Amino acid sequence: MRLTHFRQLMDDEFGTVRAGSIARDHVFGGLRGRTVEQALEDGDEPRDVWRAVCAEFEVPVERR
């Protein structure tokens, strides 16, 4: 998954403003206590980050 696709999925699921806030501010246990932005900066694959977001926010399977 490309980073641009990841960003689009975030925007589609949460809306642009909320997606940005979640990425910057929400700490995910599934990302080892990091935010989305920290995980991506550390080199985590966008697909793995998206899976952690989906698990945390219980995104329905059909939108994962």
Side-chain angles (χ1 to χ4, degrees):
M1 171 186 296
R2 293 187 171 280
L3 186 55
T4 54
H5 185 225
F6 170 80
R7 299 274 185 215
Q8 187 62 55
L9 289 170
M10 289 286 290
D11 288 350
D12 290 349
E13 186 63 33
F14 302 107
T16 303
V17 173
R18 186 164 182 234
S21 177
I22 289 169
R24 285 186 312 274
D25 303 327
H26 189 87
V27 174
F28 291 82
L31 296 175
R32 298 182 313 276
R34 299 174 295 164
T35 66
V36 164
E37 294 300 335
Q38 289 168 330
L40 293 171
E41 287 173 15
D42 288 347
D44 288 27
E45 290 293 324
R47 179 181 322 271
D48 297 332
V49 176
W50 176 243
R51 287 179 181 147
V53 171
C54 290
E56 182 88 7
F57 285 92
E58 299 178 353
V59 174
V61 173
E62 62 272 9
R63 294 198 308 261
R64 291 183 181 205

